[in-house]
Amino acid sequence: MLSVRPARYRDSASVGAFLTGLSVDSRQRRFFNSLPYLSPAFLRRLVTIAPAQLVLLALDRDTVVGHAMAVCAGDHDADVGIVVTDDYQRRGIGSDLLDHLTGTIAEVGVTELCCDVLSENYFVLDWLRRRLPGIRFTRDGATMTGRWASQR
């Protein structure tokens, strides 16, 4: 059974196992780095919820299969990143995470999202265009930066 919930401090090891289980391609697409080393501080950051940071996990029972993070970059905007484990991609989990994330951050006044995507990651670029109508992309070298304003 799949579920989405906020991350907890004790999820650090599970998120580490999730990241280690990602293909090098998936790690590169999400973090722009193959993550050869996962420091304890990095893992703690990926599960820490703070006033300016929201982290959600998608779980299949007790196994992390997706991770979403929003970090406030200003009063009304947030930088967003989402990754789903390879075996669970194309099942709507990323969309569920994005819906939960945008709904939750909208409650605290965030109206604009920003995300960076590798330019050759056409699947995610197209997915974002479908999920966030009106998103605008600008190219910056190897990445595309998407900006989207809520219609609320």
Side-chain angles (χ1 to χ4, degrees):
M1 166 164 268
L2 293 173
S3 61
V4 173
R5 67 161 171 78
R8 301 177 191 135
Y9 182 77
R10 66 179 180 260
D11 291 322
S12 183
S14 297
V15 169
F18 162 73
L19 293 175
T20 301
L22 290 173
S23 68
V24 172
D25 263 358
S26 289
R27 288 190 300 251
Q28 185 71 36
R29 287 181 179 145
R30 167 57 181 94
F31 298 100
F32 307 155
N33 184 312
S34 62
L35 301 177
Y37 172 69
L38 303 173
S39 72
F42 178 70
L43 292 174
R44 274 192 307 276
R45 183 166 181 253
L46 291 180
V47 298
T48 299
I49 295 178
Q53 179 169 295
L54 174 64
V55 181
L56 297 175
L57 301 177
L59 299 122
D60 185 352
R61 295 185 181 87
D62 294 329
T63 303
V64 176
V65 297
H67 180 275
M69 189 170 185
V71 179
C72 290
D75 289 339
H76 301 287
D77 57 322
D79 291 327
V80 173
I82 297 174
V83 64
V84 174
T85 193
D86 298 73
D87 291 342
Y88 284 76
Q89 291 177 8
R90 295 177 171 81
R91 295 188 190 184
I93 295 168
S95 295
D96 286 347
L97 284 166
L98 183 62
D99 289 347
H100 278 82
L101 199 66
T102 56
T104 303
I105 61 179
E107 292 174 8
V108 295
V110 172
T111 58
E112 296 181 28
L113 300 182
C114 177
C115 58
D116 293 318
V117 180
L118 289 173
S119 299
E120 75 267 4
N121 194 347
Y122 301 112
F123 177 79
V124 169
L125 292 168
D126 290 341
W127 173 74
L128 286 168
R129 285 183 183 105
R130 287 189 312 273
R131 298 297 306 164
L132 300 173
I135 192 168
R136 301 285 181 244
F137 288 98
T138 56
R139 181 183 291 273
D140 184 16
T143 63
M144 301 286 283
T145 298
R147 297 192 183 281
W148 176 78
S150 171
Q151 306 304 314
R152 292 181 186 199

